[in-house]
Structure formats: C-alpha cells, structure tokens
Amino acid sequence: MRTLEPLYPRDDRDQIRRALLTLLRGTGLPVAFGGMVQPGGPPRMTITELAGTSTAALRGLAINAGAGLGGKALALGLPLRVDDYPEARSISHEYDGPVAAEGLRSVVAVPIVVRREVRAVLYGAVRQRLALGDRLVAAAVHAGRELERRLTDRDAARTALTTLRTAAPRPAGSAPDAALDPGAAGPDWEEVRQAHAELRGLLRRIDDPELRDRLDAVADRLAGAVTRPEGATPAPASPLSPRETDVLACVALGCTNADVAEQLGLRPETVKSYLRSAMRKLGAHTRLEVVVAARRAALLP
C-alpha cells in the first residue's frame, strides 16, 4: 500500500471561519469571533478568527476556563449570554479592555463540544445593549452544532487513516482468496477493513468537497490494495454504485441491515434494495457470496 498523503493540509481554523459565517447569517448579529481550545494543559482557548470586527483587539486573546463569558462557557460546556457585557455580574471581567476596544455590549458564547470535550468557542455580538432572545441564541447554538458535526467527522476520518497507517497490509504474493479467511488475513487486515467501512460511511456525511474527494480517493486506493497474482489483468471499473459499495463495506464486517441503515443514515428497506442490486451485479445469491465476489474483484479490501 502506498504511503497515504496527509489528509488535512490545514488545521481546523477553516472550520471555525465557516461556522462564524453561519452564525452571522443565522442570528443577524454583526460581529462573530472564536477559536480552538489548545490541547493539553489547563483548558484555554485563543481567539484567532474574526468576522465583522472593526479592530484587532480580540485577535490572539487567550481565554482561560472560567474567565469572562467565553471562559465560563468553556468551563461549563454550556451556551451563555449577557445583554450588557460591561455591567454583567454573572461573569468575571478580565477581558473588559479588548471588549470595550471593539465596542461590544451584548454577547453570546457557544462552546463546541465533541465527545464530551470542549474543542472551540464561538461568539456572536452586537455593539449596543440588546436583549438576546431565545430564538437568536438557538440560531447561534445551531451554528455550533454544525461545527461539532464537522469536527466529529474529521476526527473519525483521522482515526480511520491512523488505523490504515499502522495496520499491516497483506503480505506480498499471498493469494487473493487468503484475504477471505479472517484467520489468514489476521487482525491487522481486519482493522483495515473496519477503517475502509468507516471511510465509506463518512463520505456521505461530509459536506466539504475537497475533504470528501480525498477520502473517496483513499477509500478507492484501499479497496485496490488487495494483492492480485502477478500477470493478472487489472481490475475492471466497479460495476457497483457508490452507495452499493458503502453497503457492502458494512455487510463485510458482519453488520445487519439495521446496523448498516444506522451507520449510513438509510432506511433498512433501502439497504435491502442496494444489497439486492449488488448481488445481481456480482452474480451472488447470499451475503457471504456477494462479499467474497466483491473482494475477489478488488472492490473491497
């Protein structure tokens, strides 16, 4: 298997910028800013991304857990708001200087929680005293939930690719049919298959075109990593649709139709339809036969 190219040429700051634009559109607030929580050490986030600001007073500001509005949201893992930041008694005021320099008064802070860990904080703000209603706060939280979903999917992709880098591929020269026997393939190859199925499932949930295309290419390369005998003709183009391949990747791991439906966000009846179609195309009559046929055709690892 060739060395996998880095999947993320940039960090997650591009996702923060995208979330800020979503927050502005959803709430109608004129100002948004935010940043990622620094990994390791005491919880602290740094404001790196600004939208709608008129100064650079907030850029690079390090927010400690419990301090100010964002620090309190970071510590509690809950969205918070103040209608008059300078006068608010519910928060500490370590950051009054930068907030005043930007002229902000009413502010909402939304923590981004991924697997019970706060990964970032988003803020929305306005320069006059304004009662931030529940509907506005809900719109800010919705922008945060979208960011949480994207970060969760990117984390899953990283985990799958880490598995691919550390798991050993099939020894060169082994017969293709050996991979059909889990004992012959060994646990490392089963980890690769698990990662492949996870990647196929992620493809349909990720809305970042660049990331989706790169994951698709990695999944295709992984399916083609099945060692073919020397002198064998190259595998023909896949007769399966992407969704049929997604379903087979899960079925190959022993998933039931209900499991596949939950993993891929489909109805069980739809899963049955894709499975029947794949069986017909590959000339198979059972779940085992279709998985064997797909692996022999290098459509699955």
Side-chain angles (χ1 to χ4, degrees):
M1 189 186 307
R2 290 188 301 166
T3 301
L4 296 170
E5 298 174 1
L7 183 62
Y8 302 98
R10 302 181 299 273
D11 59 21
D12 288 326
R13 287 172 56 175
D14 59 321
Q15 297 298 321
I16 296 288
R17 289 191 288 271
R18 181 175 176 181
L20 293 182
L21 295 178
T22 300
L23 189 151
L24 292 178
R25 288 194 298 266
T27 63
L29 294 173
V31 178
F33 49 98
M36 301 293 295
V37 174
Q38 299 172 6
R44 171 185 289 188
M45 62 84 63
T46 302
I47 298 174
T48 57
E49 310 308 314
L50 310 173
T53 54
S54 58
T55 74
L58 298 171
R59 188 179 299 280
L61 192 63
I63 308 297
N64 294 315
L69 180 67
K72 188 173 181 180
L74 168 58
L76 297 178
L78 297 171
L80 301 172
R81 59 186 159 183
V82 292
D83 294 337
D84 192 347
Y85 192 102
E87 301 298 326
R89 297 183 179 181
S90 59
I91 62 172
S92 61
H93 289 273
E94 292 89 337
Y95 311 111
D96 282 5
V99 172
E102 187 58 42
L104 304 179
R105 296 292 296 274
S106 299
V107 185
V108 59
V110 178
I112 307 305
V113 183
V114 178
R115 295 187 180 88
R116 300 183 181 181
E117 178 184 5
V118 178
R119 291 274 297 276
V121 179
L122 303 180
Y123 299 79
V126 63
R127 293 186 175 88
Q128 63 262 25
R129 192 182 188 284
L130 178 70
L132 301 179
D134 291 343
R135 183 174 297 181
L136 184 148
V137 174
V141 169
H142 176 72
R145 296 296 173 267
E146 285 293 304
L147 177 57
E148 288 173 1
R149 180 184 61 79
R150 290 196 296 271
L151 292 180
T152 298
D153 286 345
R154 289 163 75 91
D155 283 354
R158 287 188 179 102
T159 299
L161 291 179
T162 297
T163 299
L164 300 185
R165 291 188 182 99
T166 57
R170 184 185 316 165
S174 61
D177 288 348
L180 306 180
D181 176 2
D188 284 344
W189 193 256
E190 289 306 310
E191 288 183 12
V192 171
R193 289 172 175 165
Q194 177 72 41
H196 175 263
E198 291 176 3
L199 286 177
R200 296 297 315 181
L202 283 169
L203 282 173
R204 312 308 154 193
R205 300 202 304 269
I206 290 177
D207 52 10
D208 180 334
E210 179 185 357
L211 178 56
R212 187 171 57 244
D213 288 346
R214 299 189 73 178
L215 284 176
D216 199 10
V218 170
D220 286 347
R221 258 165 51 197
L222 181 58
V226 177
T227 304
R228 302 177 65 81
E230 288 187 15
T233 57
S238 173
L240 303 180
S241 71
R243 265 310 193 192
E244 290 164 352
T245 304
D246 297 342
V247 168
L248 283 190
C250 294
V251 169
L253 298 176
C255 295
T256 65
N257 288 352
D259 294 334
V260 178
E262 182 178 358
Q263 172 72 16
L264 300 180
L266 302 171
R267 295 189 303 173
E269 296 78 10
T270 306
V271 171
K272 285 183 181 180
S273 176
Y274 283 128
L275 188 54
R276 283 195 300 266
S277 177
M279 288 179 176
R280 184 178 65 254
K281 291 178 179 179
L282 296 179
H285 300 91
T286 68
R287 297 167 77 90
L288 177 59
E289 286 181 4
V290 75
V291 170
V292 169
R295 286 178 175 163
R296 283 178 171 160
L299 303 177
L300 294 177

